[in-house]
Every structure is written in structure tokens, then in C-alpha cells.
Amino acid sequence: MFDKSSLKEVGKLLAAPKKIALVAHKNPDGDTVGAVLAMYHYLKPKGHMVSAIVPNEYPTFYSWMPGIEKMLIFDKDAKEIKKTLADADLIFCLDFNATHRTGNMGKFITEAKGTKIVIDHHPQPSNEFDHYFSETDTSSTGELVYEFIAGLNDTRSITKDIAVCLYTCIMTDTGSFSFSCNKKRTYEITGELIEKGVQPDLIHKLVYDTFTENRLRLLGYALSERLLVWDELHTAIISLNRDDLNRFNYQVGDTEGLVNYPLSMEKINLSVLITEKDNALRLSFRSKGDFSVNRLAREHFDGGGHKNAAGGNSQMTMEETVKQLKSVLERYKQELDYKLTYE
Ligand SMILES: [Mn+2]
């Protein structure tokens, strides 16, 4: 799985107590939060001084996760985080592979003197780090954290809390085992986590069955009033501006998963969600089949991600962004014209 000499070197670094910063990416999802907390619970009992750091607020449907109250949030605790990063012997970057993915916090990671270690499954890592535990063909960073611990021959140290965090990573990053989940190894690891005490049905409820009424009504509104379908491009778009979000008292995480709904139409291969947040537009892309939204986001929307799930940004107005999206997609018309078949 991983490069033996990197594992050996990092294993050596972890053999004596260290100051360790564990960092999540901006707009945190279940994978990055779960990976940070799993590493926190793994390293802390070994005598290290460990800090868990996230750039901005995480959605409330992760607030049940063990240890999450320990998270330092850069938007609130910038001063403490700057010092923690500057003092750290080791910095683990979990679920991202370029410092800019942590927003304004990025430059403090860049400036930090500690050894920088990436555990991540996104394509094309930047060269800013010292050690890479990077596999693009894996369900989640959580799965790679398991492999990292397994690589150190230390799965016996995996407690129920660690297992719960890692399970949350795998469940959320595979859309409850509906994508990026075609490998036997993902299920072997899931089985091991269940043996450590994870209850999959309970975790599913804690993450997905915790909508507020406003969130469910926003979903209904988005699908009935804000959905645009471009048949000839096999594409659907949902756009939500500030007023739409305010109307339903938007809270962080309320649009999570929304982008997946249009893909449930047979004719749709690409779904795009555009939301107005912090005076800029955030784009979220999902595809089914071979169309790469990572490429689309990288080449045209200042973003990136995975083949079937990516994010991007736009500095234009909503109207201009939708127009630009349409003109870009016209160029991909052929590539978007397919129908999934059983083979
Ligand atoms: Mn991930």
C-alpha cells in the first residue's frame, strides 16, 4: 500500500513524544473531520501533545463525534492555531494535498518548520510536503488512516472511538457505500471497524437523520423552484443565492448532499450546485460514469476534487456563472452524452 521507507521514517518520528498538529481542509466534511479525530484518539494515548485543527466551522451533524469539542477552529482561534502550527514537530494534513485547501490558514502551514505529512486520496498532490501517504484509488482518507496504522503494525491500538471516526469517514465519502466503494478492501476494513464496536445503523442516523425543518424545506424548495435541466447536455443545475438561503435560515451543512439529488434522474450525468456564500459563488459538481468533474473544475472553475465529485469557485454573478457553465459544457457535449449500462 504505502512506501515502506516513508512508513519507517514516520514510525520512528512517532516513537518518542512529539508536538503534533492534525489539520482538516476548509468547509470540512465527514472524511476530513473523522480522519483528524481518529488520528487524535490514536496519537494522544501514546504521549504526544496533539492538536486537532479545522479552518472553519463544521456542520452540526458531526457534533456528536467523539473528541470534536477539542477541535480548534481557525475562524475563531487563529492566534492559538498560528502558534500551534509554528511549534509543531509534525503536521498531518488529512484529506487534502495542497495547503491552499485550508484557506487563509494555508500560509501558516507553509511557513511552519515541522515535518509535513499528507494522508489523502485526492489526485495530483502538490510538492509542499515531506511525506506522502497518498492513494487516489481509495474510498476515503479514513480508509488510508486505517492503512497507515496497519502499516505501523498497530491495529491493536484502534479503539471504539477511533473506529467510529474512521467508519464515519468511509460512510460519508462513499455516500453510504454508493460510490467509490468497489473494492474488497473497503469492506474488509469496515468489517474490522465493526468488530471494534461500530454500529453502522446508528452512525447513519446520527449523520443523516438530523435535519432541521428548515433544512428539509430548503431541499424541497431547491428541487421544485431552483432546478434547471439542460436535456441536450444531460446536466442539471441548482442555484441558491443569499436570499434563498436566508429564507430558510441557512446553517453550515444545510446544502450538504443536495447536489446528489439531480443525478437520480436517469437522463442526467452531471449535476451542479451553485451557492452564494461569503459574497462569492461556490460550485459543487457530481457526475455518474466517466465524465470527470475533477477536470472540469480544475480547468474552468478554479477547483478540483475526484472524478465524480469536485468543487469550484466563481467570482462572477450567478447569472454570468450559469451562462459560462453552459458555454463550457457545450464543448463537452459529446462526452456528456452516454447512458450507463450493465456490463
Ligand atoms: Mn475524502
Side-chain angles (χ1 to χ4, degrees):
M1 158 86 6
F2 293 136
D3 176 50
K4 286 266 182 305
S5 68
S6 271
L7 265 175
K8 215 171 159 185
E9 254 181 82
V10 175
K12 245 190 237 162
L13 291 171
L14 292 174
K18 292 280 183 310
K19 288 184 200 140
I20 301 176
L22 306 168
V23 185
H25 63 71
K26 200 180 165 195
N27 303 323
D29 59 11
D31 192 23
T32 197
V33 170
V36 163
L37 294 177
M39 286 293 282
Y40 182 89
H41 294 299
Y42 174 65
L43 294 169
K44 188 101 195 189
K46 297 189 183 293
H48 302 291
M49 220 168 98
V50 191
S51 304
I53 296 170
V54 71
N56 59 342
E57 190 66 72
Y58 50 82
T60 53
F61 46 85
Y62 297 124
S63 57
W64 59 272
M65 291 181 74
I68 199 151
E69 69 285 351
K70 303 276 198 302
M71 281 274 197
L72 297 172
I73 302 171
F74 189 74
D75 277 355
K76 292 186 200 161
D77 315 309
K79 207 173 156 195
E80 189 177 352
I81 289 175
K82 284 180 203 171
K83 188 172 175 353
T84 303
L85 289 170
D87 291 348
D89 301 310
L90 303 176
I91 299 176
F92 279 90
C93 298
L94 298 159
D95 200 38
F96 64 94
N97 59 23
T99 54
H100 71 84
R101 288 286 293 114
T102 62
N104 297 334
M105 202 169 84
K107 73 171 181 153
F108 303 104
I109 299 176
T110 308
E111 286 167 8
K113 297 281 176 288
T115 304
K116 293 162 199 165
I117 302 157
V118 166
I119 305 181
D120 178 59
H121 66 139
H122 293 88
Q124 296 157 279
S126 76
N127 59 11
E128 304 164 276
F129 308 96
D130 299 300
H131 296 286
Y132 294 83
F133 299 98
S134 175
E135 287 281 337
T136 48
D137 214 13
T138 305
S139 72
S140 55
T141 295
E143 189 174 329
L144 292 176
V145 168
Y146 184 96
E147 297 287 24
F148 175 76
I149 296 172
L152 298 173
N153 292 314
D154 200 17
T155 53
R156 83 186 81 80
S157 294
I158 296 180
T159 59
K160 180 179 171 183
D161 281 353
I162 297 172
V164 162
C165 293
L166 295 180
Y167 182 84
T168 304
C169 295
I170 297 172
M171 181 188 78
T172 55
D173 249 29
T174 61
S176 304
F177 301 91
S178 66
F179 49 80
S180 317
C181 59
N182 288 341
K183 290 192 148 183
K184 182 181 163 195
R185 183 66 179 147
T186 305
Y187 298 89
E188 287 171 350
I189 291 173
T190 301
E192 296 296 323
L193 299 176
I194 289 171
E195 208 158 81
K196 300 279 188 182
V198 172
Q199 293 177 69
D201 56 359
L202 175 62
I203 294 182
H204 192 280
K205 288 180 185 70
L206 290 172
V207 173
Y208 296 114
D209 296 343
T210 50
F211 278 42
T212 57
E213 181 178 341
N214 269 323
R215 183 176 171 194
L216 192 68
R217 291 193 187 279
L218 173 63
L219 166 66
Y221 172 82
L223 296 178
S224 79
E225 306 299 323
R226 288 287 180 259
L227 176 71
L228 211 60
V229 175
W230 294 333
D231 279 305
E232 70 287 2
L233 295 169
H234 301 274
T235 295
I237 293 152
I238 297 172
S239 55
L240 294 171
N241 61 32
R242 230 324 109 197
D243 288 340
D244 294 328
L245 296 173
N246 286 344
R247 180 170 162 183
F248 296 94
N249 187 27
Y250 172 81
Q251 304 293 310
V252 172
D254 278 358
T255 54
E256 195 85 18
L258 181 52
V259 64
N260 297 312
Y261 284 88
L263 284 185
S264 57
M265 284 184 276
E266 187 180 24
K267 63 184 179 182
I268 297 301
N269 291 325
L270 170 64
S271 170
V272 185
L273 170 68
I274 313 174
T275 48
E276 186 182 352
K277 284 171 188 168
D278 308 323
N279 298 317
L281 296 182
R282 174 90 192 138
L283 287 84
S284 193
F285 302 95
R286 296 290 184 275
S287 66
K288 59 191 187 204
D290 275 339
F291 187 77
S292 170
V293 289
N294 175 46
R295 202 185 67 182
L296 177 70
R298 269 179 193 267
E299 290 180 5
H300 304 282
F301 294 98
D302 174 34
H306 306 280
K307 187 175 92 174
N308 295 126
N313 300 285
S314 168
Q315 309 302 327
M316 297 181 289
T317 65
M318 185 68 85
E319 212 177 314
E320 289 165 348
T321 303
V322 171
K323 223 167 126 187
Q324 196 214 353
L325 183 64
K326 182 142 195 196
S327 79
V328 165
L329 291 180
E330 295 286 354
R331 287 183 247 161
Y332 293 98
K333 202 169 173 175
Q334 305 280 320
E335 283 178 63
L336 282 162
D337 187 14
Y338 58 86
K339 193 176 161 176
L340 295 183
T341 52
Y342 176 77
E343 269 154 30

